[in-house]
Amino acid sequence: MASKKQITVGGVLLGGGAPLVIQSMCNTKTHDVPATVAQILAMEQAGCHVVRLAVPDLEAAQAIPAIKKQVHIPLVADIHFDHRLALEALKGGIDKIRINPGNIGDKAKVKTVADACKAAGVPIRVGVNSGSVDADLREKYGVTPETLCQAALRNLEQLEDCGFFDTCVSLKMSNVFGTVKAYRLMAEKCDYPLHLGVTEAGNEHFGTLRSAAAFGGLLVDGIGDTLRVSLTADPVREIYAAKDILKALDLHTGGARIVSCPTCGRTQIDLIGLADKVEKALAKLQTRMTVAVMGCVVNGPGEAREADIGICGGRGEGLIIRKGEILHKLPEEQLLPKLIEEIQAMTGETL
Amino acid sequence: MASKKQITVGGVLLGGGAPLVIQSMCNTKTHDVPATVAQILAMEQAGCHVVRLAVPDLEAAQAIPAIKKQVHIPLVADIHFDHRLALEALKGGIDKIRINPGNIGDKAKVKTVADACKAAGVPIRVGVNSGSVDADLREKYGVTPETLCQAALRNLEQLEDCGFFDTCVSLKMSNVFGTVKAYRLMAEKCDYPLHLGVTEAGNEHFGTLRSAAAFGGLLVDGIGDTLRVSLTADPVREIYAAKDILKALDLHTGGARIVSCPTCGRTQIDLIGLADKVEKALAKLQTRMTVAVMGCVVNGPGEAREADIGICGGRGEGLIIRKGEILHKLPEEQLLPKLIEEIQAMTGETL
C-alpha cells in the first residue's frame, strides 16, 4: 500500500497519499553551473518535480547555492563514500540527501549526517542498489530482493537509532521480477515513502518497458510514492517516459488518454491514421479524459462506453459516442472535426 | 500461478508450464487469401507462434484451407454472433476457435460448437472483453474485473456442461489496473491457460507501455500462458512489442539483454553511444545472455557482477568484467571490439 508516512522535499509532498512525484537526475558535471541549470530548466519544462545531482566532490557541493537560485524545483544531492559532502550540500541549501549507506562509512559518520539533516529539516533517501548491497549480506545470501530489503532495513534502523525518521527508501535491481519482489517486501516491513526505480534499466526503449513492467506490478497494489525511470539517454527523456507510464496506468493527472482497438479484418475505416490524428489534435488538452477510437461495430460501441467520448467507425461513416450515448452519425471525414468540437464544448478548452 | 492445465493449439503447447506463446491477429480481409498469407508469413518471420483471423462471414471461413496450406503456424478463427461460422472453420482445418460467448447465442448453439471442436480435437478460447460482458451482469454490476470474471466463469461452465474442457480464457479490459485484477481473480478461480491482453491498448507507443505494465503485474506472479499485445498498428509490430516486453521481463528465450546505467554526473565515457553500439553489435546473438554497459566506478562493477559479461567505463578507459571477474583493462576505443570477441568465444557464435 502507499506509504502511511509523508515527508516533504523542498515543499513537494512525498508519500501518505500525495500524488506520485516524478524524479530524474542530471548528467551534467554539477560544478558546471550553466549546463546543470539549463538541464534542470529543461526537465522542469518537461514536468519533472524533483531532481537529483551527483555530488562526487567539494566543487560539486559548493555549486549547489548558485544552481538553486536559478531553478524552481527541489534538489537532491547524491552522496557516495564521503559524508562531508552531505554536510557541504546541506550548507548550500539542498532539499534532500540521497545516501547509499553501504558505502558511507561508520555509524558516527551516518549520525553526523542525520543530525545535520534533522537540524535543517531535510529528508534522507536510503538508496540501496543491487550493485551496492553490504558485502557481508551479499557474501552470505547473494544479491536477492531479500538482501536488498535487509540492507535497507539495517540502514533505516541506523537512522532511527539517531532519532531520524524523515526518510524514504529505494531498492533498485536491474530486473523487473527482483525489483517488484524487493518493493513488495519493503512495503510490508516499513511505512516510509517508497521511491521506485529499476537500475541499469537500459536504453530509452527497453528502459521504459522495464520500468513500465515493474511500476505496473507495484502501482497496481498501491506500492510506490515517487518514481524515476532510469534510462541510458538524455535525462529529459526520463521525464517523458515517466509521464507516459503514468498515462498508460491511468495515473496521469491531466490530458487525454486515447484508447483504440487493434485493427482487424473487421475494420472498415483508416483506424491507424485516425488514432494518430486524434492523439495529435488532443496533445495540448489539459483536462483529464479518456477518448476512444474504435474501428468496428463488434466491440466498438461497448468498449467506447467506458470512455468519456469516442469515435466508432463503420463502413465509410461512424458514430460519435459520449458516455455510451450516440450523439452523431457522420461520414468518416467529419468524425475528427466533430470529435474536437465536442471535446472543446465539454472542457471549455481551445484545441 | 501459471495454469496447471495444458492445451494444444495445432501442435503448440499452451499452459501447464510451457514457454509463453506469442499471438497476434491479421488485419487483412480473411477472404483475401494472398494478402492474409503474406501477413501471416511476415508475422512468422517476426516470431509469432499462433495467429488469429477474423471470420465475419462464410467467405472468410471458406478461405481457411487455402491459407493453412501456405503458412506454418496454427490458425485461430475469431467468431462472433454466428456459430455456423465456427463449424465451417472447423471443416476448413482451423486449429482453435475463439468465441465471445456473450454474443454467440443460446446454449444449443454453444453445444453444437463444443461438440464439433471436441470431435476435431480443437480447443476453444473463451474471450471476454470489457465491451461485450453479458448485458444482465453489466446492468447489475457495471463493467468491472469481477463482472468480466463472472461472465467468463459462466461461459466456461457452459462448455463444461457440454463435457468440454479443452479451453483457455481471456478477460481483456482497456485499463491496466482492471486487467491485472481480472486475471488475478481468474487465476484463483480456474486452472485453464490464461491468454493475456489489454484491449484497446492504443497506438504502438502507449499500447506497448500499457501491455508491459499489465503483463509485468501478472507475469511476476506467474499468471499468464500466452499473450497478445493489441496495438493500433501493423500487426507485425505486435510481435516485436511482445518480444520486447518478454525481454524487458527477462522471459526471452534467446538473445542479449543489455543492462546499462543512466548517465549521471559521474559518467566519464560516451555511455549512450556505447550502449547503442553494443545493442546493434549483438542484435543477431542467439544465446541468451545479460550484457552490462556501465558508466562509472560507483555502481558499475557491483552491478556488472549480475551480468554474464560487461563493460565498465572509467576516464577514457574501462574494464571488461565476466561474472564479476575483471578480464581486461583497456582504452575506451578497444572496449567494444574486445567485448564482442569475448562474447564470440563464450557462445561460439559469429557476430
Side-chain angles (χ1 to χ4, degrees), chain B residues 43-66:
Chain B
M43 287 178 177
E44 289 180 2
Q45 189 79 17
C48 185
H49 303 126
V50 171
V51 67
R52 182 159 46 118
L53 308 172
V55 181
D57 51 33
L58 197 61
E59 218 185 341
Q62 290 172 340
I64 291 169

mmCIF file with all atom_site columns, all heavy atoms in Angstrom, chain B residues 43-66:
data_model
loop_
_atom_site.group_PDB
_atom_site.id
_atom_site.type_symbol
_atom_site.label_atom_id
_atom_site.label_alt_id
_atom_site.label_comp_id
_atom_site.label_asym_id
_atom_site.label_entity_id
_atom_site.label_seq_id
_atom_site.pdbx_PDB_ins_code
_atom_site.Cartn_x
_atom_site.Cartn_y
_atom_site.Cartn_z
_atom_site.occupancy
_atom_site.B_iso_or_equiv
_atom_site.pdbx_formal_charge
_atom_site.auth_seq_id
_atom_site.auth_comp_id
_atom_site.auth_asym_id
_atom_site.auth_atom_id
_atom_site.pdbx_PDB_model_num
ATOM 1   N N   . MET B 1 43 ? 4.491   -12.251 -40.045 1.00 0.00 ? 43 MET B N   1
ATOM 2   C CA  . MET B 1 43 ? 4.386   -12.453 -38.596 1.00 0.00 ? 43 MET B CA  1
ATOM 3   C C   . MET B 1 43 ? 5.249   -13.623 -38.138 1.00 0.00 ? 43 MET B C   1
ATOM 4   O O   . MET B 1 43 ? 5.904   -13.558 -37.098 1.00 0.00 ? 43 MET B O   1
ATOM 5   C CB  . MET B 1 43 ? 2.938   -12.728 -38.210 1.00 0.00 ? 43 MET B CB  1
ATOM 6   C CG  . MET B 1 43 ? 2.046   -11.510 -38.277 1.00 0.00 ? 43 MET B CG  1
ATOM 7   S SD  . MET B 1 43 ? 0.373   -12.049 -37.849 1.00 0.00 ? 43 MET B SD  1
ATOM 8   C CE  . MET B 1 43 ? -0.484  -10.492 -37.904 1.00 0.00 ? 43 MET B CE  1
ATOM 9   N N   . GLU B 1 44 ? 5.230   -14.718 -38.904 1.00 0.00 ? 44 GLU B N   1
ATOM 10  C CA  . GLU B 1 44 ? 6.078   -15.877 -38.569 1.00 0.00 ? 44 GLU B CA  1
ATOM 11  C C   . GLU B 1 44 ? 7.535   -15.450 -38.502 1.00 0.00 ? 44 GLU B C   1
ATOM 12  O O   . GLU B 1 44 ? 8.265   -15.796 -37.569 1.00 0.00 ? 44 GLU B O   1
ATOM 13  C CB  . GLU B 1 44 ? 5.955   -16.963 -39.650 1.00 0.00 ? 44 GLU B CB  1
ATOM 14  C CG  . GLU B 1 44 ? 4.633   -17.679 -39.668 1.00 0.00 ? 44 GLU B CG  1
ATOM 15  C CD  . GLU B 1 44 ? 4.589   -18.749 -40.764 1.00 0.00 ? 44 GLU B CD  1
ATOM 16  O OE1 . GLU B 1 44 ? 5.606   -18.943 -41.475 1.00 0.00 ? 44 GLU B OE1 1
ATOM 17  O OE2 . GLU B 1 44 ? 3.532   -19.385 -40.930 1.00 0.00 ? 44 GLU B OE2 1
ATOM 18  N N   . GLN B 1 45 ? 7.940   -14.701 -39.525 1.00 0.00 ? 45 GLN B N   1
ATOM 19  C CA  . GLN B 1 45 ? 9.321   -14.206 -39.619 1.00 0.00 ? 45 GLN B CA  1
ATOM 20  C C   . GLN B 1 45 ? 9.691   -13.403 -38.363 1.00 0.00 ? 45 GLN B C   1
ATOM 21  O O   . GLN B 1 45 ? 10.791  -13.496 -37.851 1.00 0.00 ? 45 GLN B O   1
ATOM 22  C CB  . GLN B 1 45 ? 9.403   -13.307 -40.865 1.00 0.00 ? 45 GLN B CB  1
ATOM 23  C CG  . GLN B 1 45 ? 10.792  -12.877 -41.256 1.00 0.00 ? 45 GLN B CG  1
ATOM 24  C CD  . GLN B 1 45 ? 11.531  -13.986 -41.995 1.00 0.00 ? 45 GLN B CD  1
ATOM 25  O OE1 . GLN B 1 45 ? 10.916  -14.938 -42.484 1.00 0.00 ? 45 GLN B OE1 1
ATOM 26  N NE2 . GLN B 1 45 ? 12.837  -13.885 -42.042 1.00 0.00 ? 45 GLN B NE2 1
ATOM 27  N N   . ALA B 1 46 ? 8.719   -12.626 -37.884 1.00 0.00 ? 46 ALA B N   1
ATOM 28  C CA  . ALA B 1 46 ? 8.969   -11.772 -36.714 1.00 0.00 ? 46 ALA B CA  1
ATOM 29  C C   . ALA B 1 46 ? 8.991   -12.581 -35.417 1.00 0.00 ? 46 ALA B C   1
ATOM 30  O O   . ALA B 1 46 ? 9.498   -12.108 -34.403 1.00 0.00 ? 46 ALA B O   1
ATOM 31  C CB  . ALA B 1 46 ? 7.910   -10.678 -36.633 1.00 0.00 ? 46 ALA B CB  1
ATOM 32  N N   . GLY B 1 47 ? 8.434   -13.800 -35.447 1.00 0.00 ? 47 GLY B N   1
ATOM 33  C CA  . GLY B 1 47 ? 8.474   -14.627 -34.237 1.00 0.00 ? 47 GLY B CA  1
ATOM 34  C C   . GLY B 1 47 ? 7.116   -14.957 -33.641 1.00 0.00 ? 47 GLY B C   1
ATOM 35  O O   . GLY B 1 47 ? 7.019   -15.375 -32.488 1.00 0.00 ? 47 GLY B O   1
ATOM 36  N N   . CYS B 1 48 ? 6.072   -14.813 -34.431 1.00 0.00 ? 48 CYS B N   1
ATOM 37  C CA  . CYS B 1 48 ? 4.715   -15.122 -33.955 1.00 0.00 ? 48 CYS B CA  1
ATOM 38  C C   . CYS B 1 48 ? 4.526   -16.644 -33.873 1.00 0.00 ? 48 CYS B C   1
ATOM 39  O O   . CYS B 1 48 ? 4.963   -17.370 -34.754 1.00 0.00 ? 48 CYS B O   1
ATOM 40  C CB  . CYS B 1 48 ? 3.704   -14.522 -34.931 1.00 0.00 ? 48 CYS B CB  1
ATOM 41  S SG  . CYS B 1 48 ? 1.994   -14.710 -34.409 1.00 0.00 ? 48 CYS B SG  1
ATOM 42  N N   . HIS B 1 49 ? 3.868   -17.104 -32.810 1.00 0.00 ? 49 HIS B N   1
ATOM 43  C CA  . HIS B 1 49 ? 3.660   -18.547 -32.636 1.00 0.00 ? 49 HIS B CA  1
ATOM 44  C C   . HIS B 1 49 ? 2.287   -19.024 -33.085 1.00 0.00 ? 49 HIS B C   1
ATOM 45  O O   . HIS B 1 49 ? 2.127   -20.160 -33.500 1.00 0.00 ? 49 HIS B O   1
ATOM 46  C CB  . HIS B 1 49 ? 3.844   -18.927 -31.162 1.00 0.00 ? 49 HIS B CB  1
ATOM 47  C CG  . HIS B 1 49 ? 5.174   -18.562 -30.602 1.00 0.00 ? 49 HIS B CG  1
ATOM 48  N ND1 . HIS B 1 49 ? 5.333   -17.805 -29.469 1.00 0.00 ? 49 HIS B ND1 1
ATOM 49  C CD2 . HIS B 1 49 ? 6.437   -18.828 -31.042 1.00 0.00 ? 49 HIS B CD2 1
ATOM 50  C CE1 . HIS B 1 49 ? 6.629   -17.648 -29.217 1.00 0.00 ? 49 HIS B CE1 1
ATOM 51  N NE2 . HIS B 1 49 ? 7.313   -18.237 -30.155 1.00 0.00 ? 49 HIS B NE2 1
ATOM 52  N N   . VAL B 1 50 ? 1.281   -18.165 -32.941 1.00 0.00 ? 50 VAL B N   1
ATOM 53  C CA  . VAL B 1 50 ? -0.108  -18.526 -33.253 1.00 0.00 ? 50 VAL B CA  1
ATOM 54  C C   . VAL B 1 50 ? -0.788  -17.256 -33.771 1.00 0.00 ? 50 VAL B C   1
ATOM 55  O O   . VAL B 1 50 ? -0.566  -16.180 -33.223 1.00 0.00 ? 50 VAL B O   1
ATOM 56  C CB  . VAL B 1 50 ? -0.851  -19.013 -31.976 1.00 0.00 ? 50 VAL B CB  1
ATOM 57  C CG1 . VAL B 1 50 ? -2.346  -19.168 -32.241 1.00 0.00 ? 50 VAL B CG1 1
ATOM 58  C CG2 . VAL B 1 50 ? -0.255  -20.330 -31.457 1.00 0.00 ? 50 VAL B CG2 1
ATOM 59  N N   . VAL B 1 51 ? -1.622  -17.381 -34.812 1.00 0.00 ? 51 VAL B N   1
ATOM 60  C CA  . VAL B 1 51 ? -2.237  -16.170 -35.359 1.00 0.00 ? 51 VAL B CA  1
ATOM 61  C C   . VAL B 1 51 ? -3.751  -16.342 -35.501 1.00 0.00 ? 51 VAL B C   1
ATOM 62  O O   . VAL B 1 51 ? -4.237  -17.422 -35.839 1.00 0.00 ? 51 VAL B O   1
ATOM 63  C CB  . VAL B 1 51 ? -1.583  -15.769 -36.709 1.00 0.00 ? 51 VAL B CB  1
ATOM 64  C CG1 . VAL B 1 51 ? -1.860  -16.776 -37.808 1.00 0.00 ? 51 VAL B CG1 1
ATOM 65  C CG2 . VAL B 1 51 ? -2.026  -14.374 -37.135 1.00 0.00 ? 51 VAL B CG2 1
ATOM 66  N N   . ARG B 1 52 ? -4.463  -15.267 -35.240 1.00 0.00 ? 52 ARG B N   1
ATOM 67  C CA  . ARG B 1 52 ? -5.919  -15.297 -35.293 1.00 0.00 ? 52 ARG B CA  1
ATOM 68  C C   . ARG B 1 52 ? -6.405  -14.577 -36.543 1.00 0.00 ? 52 ARG B C   1
ATOM 69  O O   . ARG B 1 52 ? -5.789  -13.617 -36.995 1.00 0.00 ? 52 ARG B O   1
ATOM 70  C CB  . ARG B 1 52 ? -6.473  -14.628 -34.022 1.00 0.00 ? 52 ARG B CB  1
ATOM 71  C CG  . ARG B 1 52 ? -7.984  -14.613 -33.906 1.00 0.00 ? 52 ARG B CG  1
ATOM 72  C CD  . ARG B 1 52 ? -8.439  -14.430 -32.440 1.00 0.00 ? 52 ARG B CD  1
ATOM 73  N NE  . ARG B 1 52 ? -7.722  -13.375 -31.739 1.00 0.00 ? 52 ARG B NE  1
ATOM 74  C CZ  . ARG B 1 52 ? -8.305  -12.270 -31.242 1.00 0.00 ? 52 ARG B CZ  1
ATOM 75  N NH1 . ARG B 1 52 ? -9.619  -12.090 -31.376 1.00 0.00 ? 52 ARG B NH1 1
ATOM 76  N NH2 . ARG B 1 52 ? -7.601  -11.366 -30.598 1.00 0.00 ? 52 ARG B NH2 1
ATOM 77  N N   . LEU B 1 53 ? -7.518  -15.039 -37.074 1.00 0.00 ? 53 LEU B N   1
ATOM 78  C CA  . LEU B 1 53 ? -8.116  -14.444 -38.269 1.00 0.00 ? 53 LEU B CA  1
ATOM 79  C C   . LEU B 1 53 ? -9.557  -14.058 -37.957 1.00 0.00 ? 53 LEU B C   1
ATOM 80  O O   . LEU B 1 53 ? -10.276 -14.824 -37.318 1.00 0.00 ? 53 LEU B O   1
ATOM 81  C CB  . LEU B 1 53 ? -8.161  -15.481 -39.408 1.00 0.00 ? 53 LEU B CB  1
ATOM 82  C CG  . LEU B 1 53 ? -6.851  -16.190 -39.749 1.00 0.00 ? 53 LEU B CG  1
ATOM 83  C CD1 . LEU B 1 53 ? -7.121  -17.318 -40.744 1.00 0.00 ? 53 LEU B CD1 1
ATOM 84  C CD2 . LEU B 1 53 ? -5.859  -15.186 -40.325 1.00 0.00 ? 53 LEU B CD2 1
ATOM 85  N N   . ALA B 1 54 ? -9.983  -12.903 -38.434 1.00 0.00 ? 54 ALA B N   1
ATOM 86  C CA  . ALA B 1 54 ? -11.395 -12.539 -38.322 1.00 0.00 ? 54 ALA B CA  1
ATOM 87  C C   . ALA B 1 54 ? -12.190 -13.448 -39.253 1.00 0.00 ? 54 ALA B C   1
ATOM 88  O O   . ALA B 1 54 ? -11.808 -13.658 -40.394 1.00 0.00 ? 54 ALA B O   1
ATOM 89  C CB  . ALA B 1 54 ? -11.594 -11.079 -38.720 1.00 0.00 ? 54 ALA B CB  1
ATOM 90  N N   . VAL B 1 55 ? -13.285 -14.002 -38.726 1.00 0.00 ? 55 VAL B N   1
ATOM 91  C CA  . VAL B 1 55 ? -14.160 -14.824 -39.576 1.00 0.00 ? 55 VAL B CA  1
ATOM 92  C C   . VAL B 1 55 ? -15.576 -14.253 -39.462 1.00 0.00 ? 55 VAL B C   1
ATOM 93  O O   . VAL B 1 55 ? -16.435 -14.803 -38.775 1.00 0.00 ? 55 VAL B O   1
ATOM 94  C CB  . VAL B 1 55 ? -14.102 -16.315 -39.172 1.00 0.00 ? 55 VAL B CB  1
ATOM 95  C CG1 . VAL B 1 55 ? -14.993 -17.160 -40.086 1.00 0.00 ? 55 VAL B CG1 1
ATOM 96  C CG2 . VAL B 1 55 ? -12.662 -16.842 -39.232 1.00 0.00 ? 55 VAL B CG2 1
ATOM 97  N N   . PRO B 1 56 ? -15.801 -13.135 -40.163 1.00 0.00 ? 56 PRO B N   1
ATOM 98  C CA  . PRO B 1 56 ? -17.094 -12.458 -40.023 1.00 0.00 ? 56 PRO B CA  1
ATOM 99  C C   . PRO B 1 56 ? -18.159 -13.021 -40.960 1.00 0.00 ? 56 PRO B C   1
ATOM 100 O O   . PRO B 1 56 ? -19.337 -12.688 -40.799 1.00 0.00 ? 56 PRO B O   1
ATOM 101 C CB  . PRO B 1 56 ? -16.765 -11.006 -40.400 1.00 0.00 ? 56 PRO B CB  1
ATOM 102 C CG  . PRO B 1 56 ? -15.607 -11.107 -41.350 1.00 0.00 ? 56 PRO B CG  1
ATOM 103 C CD  . PRO B 1 56 ? -14.830 -12.345 -40.944 1.00 0.00 ? 56 PRO B CD  1
ATOM 104 N N   . ASP B 1 57 ? -17.755 -13.850 -41.932 1.00 0.00 ? 57 ASP B N   1
ATOM 105 C CA  . ASP B 1 57 ? -18.736 -14.350 -42.910 1.00 0.00 ? 57 ASP B CA  1
ATOM 106 C C   . ASP B 1 57 ? -18.257 -15.674 -43.509 1.00 0.00 ? 57 ASP B C   1
ATOM 107 O O   . ASP B 1 57 ? -17.135 -16.117 -43.252 1.00 0.00 ? 57 ASP B O   1
ATOM 108 C CB  . ASP B 1 57 ? -18.982 -13.302 -44.000 1.00 0.00 ? 57 ASP B CB  1
ATOM 109 C CG  . ASP B 1 57 ? -17.681 -12.796 -44.602 1.00 0.00 ? 57 ASP B CG  1
ATOM 110 O OD1 . ASP B 1 57 ? -16.705 -13.586 -44.698 1.00 0.00 ? 57 ASP B OD1 1
ATOM 111 O OD2 . ASP B 1 57 ? -17.611 -11.606 -44.957 1.00 0.00 ? 57 ASP B OD2 1
ATOM 112 N N   . LEU B 1 58 ? -19.124 -16.277 -44.285 1.00 0.00 ? 58 LEU B N   1
ATOM 113 C CA  . LEU B 1 58 ? -18.846 -17.586 -44.858 1.00 0.00 ? 58 LEU B CA  1
ATOM 114 C C   . LEU B 1 58 ? -17.625 -17.567 -45.772 1.00 0.00 ? 58 LEU B C   1
ATOM 115 O O   . LEU B 1 58 ? -16.815 -18.503 -45.776 1.00 0.00 ? 58 LEU B O   1
ATOM 116 C CB  . LEU B 1 58 ? -20.084 -18.053 -45.637 1.00 0.00 ? 58 LEU B CB  1
ATOM 117 C CG  . LEU B 1 58 ? -20.138 -19.552 -45.950 1.00 0.00 ? 58 LEU B CG  1
ATOM 118 C CD1 . LEU B 1 58 ? -20.151 -20.378 -44.665 1.00 0.00 ? 58 LEU B CD1 1
ATOM 119 C CD2 . LEU B 1 58 ? -21.378 -19.866 -46.801 1.00 0.00 ? 58 LEU B CD2 1
ATOM 120 N N   . GLU B 1 59 ? -17.489 -16.466 -46.514 1.00 0.00 ? 59 GLU B N   1
ATOM 121 C CA  . GLU B 1 59 ? -16.359 -16.338 -47.430 1.00 0.00 ? 59 GLU B CA  1
ATOM 122 C C   . GLU B 1 59 ? -15.035 -16.440 -46.664 1.00 0.00 ? 59 GLU B C   1
ATOM 123 O O   . GLU B 1 59 ? -14.082 -17.076 -47.126 1.00 0.00 ? 59 GLU B O   1
ATOM 124 C CB  . GLU B 1 59 ? -16.462 -14.954 -48.100 1.00 0.00 ? 59 GLU B CB  1
ATOM 125 C CG  . GLU B 1 59 ? -16.058 -14.930 -49.550 1.00 0.00 ? 59 GLU B CG  1
ATOM 126 C CD  . GLU B 1 59 ? -16.071 -13.494 -50.087 1.00 0.00 ? 59 GLU B CD  1
ATOM 127 O OE1 . GLU B 1 59 ? -16.717 -12.606 -49.462 1.00 0.00 ? 59 GLU B OE1 1
ATOM 128 O OE2 . GLU B 1 59 ? -15.425 -13.267 -51.118 1.00 0.00 ? 59 GLU B OE2 1
ATOM 129 N N   . ALA B 1 60 ? -14.989 -15.792 -45.511 1.00 0.00 ? 60 ALA B N   1
ATOM 130 C CA  . ALA B 1 60 ? -13.775 -15.834 -44.685 1.00 0.00 ? 60 ALA B CA  1
ATOM 131 C C   . ALA B 1 60 ? -13.523 -17.257 -44.204 1.00 0.00 ? 60 ALA B C   1
ATOM 132 O O   . ALA B 1 60 ? -12.399 -17.777 -44.287 1.00 0.00 ? 60 ALA B O   1
ATOM 133 C CB  . ALA B 1 60 ? -13.916 -14.884 -43.495 1.00 0.00 ? 60 ALA B CB  1
ATOM 134 N N   . ALA B 1 61 ? -14.580 -17.917 -43.710 1.00 0.00 ? 61 ALA B N   1
ATOM 135 C CA  . ALA B 1 61 ? -14.428 -19.280 -43.188 1.00 0.00 ? 61 ALA B CA  1
ATOM 136 C C   . ALA B 1 61 ? -13.944 -20.226 -44.287 1.00 0.00 ? 61 ALA B C   1
ATOM 137 O O   . ALA B 1 61 ? -13.109 -21.102 -44.050 1.00 0.00 ? 61 ALA B O   1
ATOM 138 C CB  . ALA B 1 61 ? -15.752 -19.759 -42.595 1.00 0.00 ? 61 ALA B CB  1
ATOM 139 N N   . GLN B 1 62 ? -14.455 -20.013 -45.493 1.00 0.00 ? 62 GLN B N   1
ATOM 140 C CA  . GLN B 1 62 ? -14.102 -20.917 -46.588 1.00 0.00 ? 62 GLN B CA  1
ATOM 141 C C   . GLN B 1 62 ? -12.692 -20.675 -47.132 1.00 0.00 ? 62 GLN B C   1
ATOM 142 O O   . GLN B 1 62 ? -12.178 -21.488 -47.907 1.00 0.00 ? 62 GLN B O   1
ATOM 143 C CB  . GLN B 1 62 ? -15.162 -20.812 -47.694 1.00 0.00 ? 62 GLN B CB  1
ATOM 144 C CG  . GLN B 1 62 ? -16.479 -21.434 -47.237 1.00 0.00 ? 62 GLN B CG  1
ATOM 145 C CD  . GLN B 1 62 ? -17.634 -21.204 -48.205 1.00 0.00 ? 62 GLN B CD  1
ATOM 146 O OE1 . GLN B 1 62 ? -17.585 -20.285 -49.039 1.00 0.00 ? 62 GLN B OE1 1
ATOM 147 N NE2 . GLN B 1 62 ? -18.676 -22.019 -48.090 1.00 0.00 ? 62 GLN B NE2 1
ATOM 148 N N   . ALA B 1 63 ? -12.091 -19.547 -46.755 1.00 0.00 ? 63 ALA B N   1
ATOM 149 C CA  . ALA B 1 63 ? -10.719 -19.254 -47.202 1.00 0.00 ? 63 ALA B CA  1
ATOM 150 C C   . ALA B 1 63 ? -9.679  -19.995 -46.355 1.00 0.00 ? 63 ALA B C   1
ATOM 151 O O   . ALA B 1 63 ? -8.504  -20.075 -46.732 1.00 0.00 ? 63 ALA B O   1
ATOM 152 C CB  . ALA B 1 63 ? -10.463 -17.755 -47.142 1.00 0.00 ? 63 ALA B CB  1
ATOM 153 N N   . ILE B 1 64 ? -10.113 -20.540 -45.204 1.00 0.00 ? 64 ILE B N   1
ATOM 154 C CA  . ILE B 1 64 ? -9.151  -21.113 -44.250 1.00 0.00 ? 64 ILE B CA  1
ATOM 155 C C   . ILE B 1 64 ? -8.278  -22.232 -44.844 1.00 0.00 ? 64 ILE B C   1
ATOM 156 O O   . ILE B 1 64 ? -7.054  -22.209 -44.671 1.00 0.00 ? 64 ILE B O   1
ATOM 157 C CB  . ILE B 1 64 ? -9.870  -21.549 -42.955 1.00 0.00 ? 64 ILE B CB  1
ATOM 158 C CG1 . ILE B 1 64 ? -10.342 -20.277 -42.206 1.00 0.00 ? 64 ILE B CG1 1
ATOM 159 C CG2 . ILE B 1 64 ? -8.975  -22.395 -42.054 1.00 0.00 ? 64 ILE B CG2 1
ATOM 160 C CD1 . ILE B 1 64 ? -11.288 -20.527 -41.046 1.00 0.00 ? 64 ILE B CD1 1
ATOM 161 N N   . PRO B 1 65 ? -8.866  -23.192 -45.574 1.00 0.00 ? 65 PRO B N   1
ATOM 162 C CA  . PRO B 1 65 ? -7.992  -24.262 -46.093 1.00 0.00 ? 65 PRO B CA  1
ATOM 163 C C   . PRO B 1 65 ? -6.883  -23.734 -47.002 1.00 0.00 ? 65 PRO B C   1
ATOM 164 O O   . PRO B 1 65 ? -5.731  -24.174 -46.895 1.00 0.00 ? 65 PRO B O   1
ATOM 165 C CB  . PRO B 1 65 ? -8.969  -25.154 -46.886 1.00 0.00 ? 65 PRO B CB  1
ATOM 166 C CG  . PRO B 1 65 ? -10.319 -24.861 -46.308 1.00 0.00 ? 65 PRO B CG  1
ATOM 167 C CD  . PRO B 1 65 ? -10.282 -23.427 -45.873 1.00 0.00 ? 65 PRO B CD  1
ATOM 168 N N   . ALA B 1 66 ? -7.204  -22.774 -47.862 1.00 0.00 ? 66 ALA B N   1
ATOM 169 C CA  . ALA B 1 66 ? -6.193  -22.226 -48.772 1.00 0.00 ? 66 ALA B CA  1
ATOM 170 C C   . ALA B 1 66 ? -5.100  -21.490 -47.996 1.00 0.00 ? 66 ALA B C   1
ATOM 171 O O   . ALA B 1 66 ? -3.919  -21.550 -48.353 1.00 0.00 ? 66 ALA B O   1
ATOM 172 C CB  . ALA B 1 66 ? -6.856  -21.274 -49.778 1.00 0.00 ? 66 ALA B CB  1
#
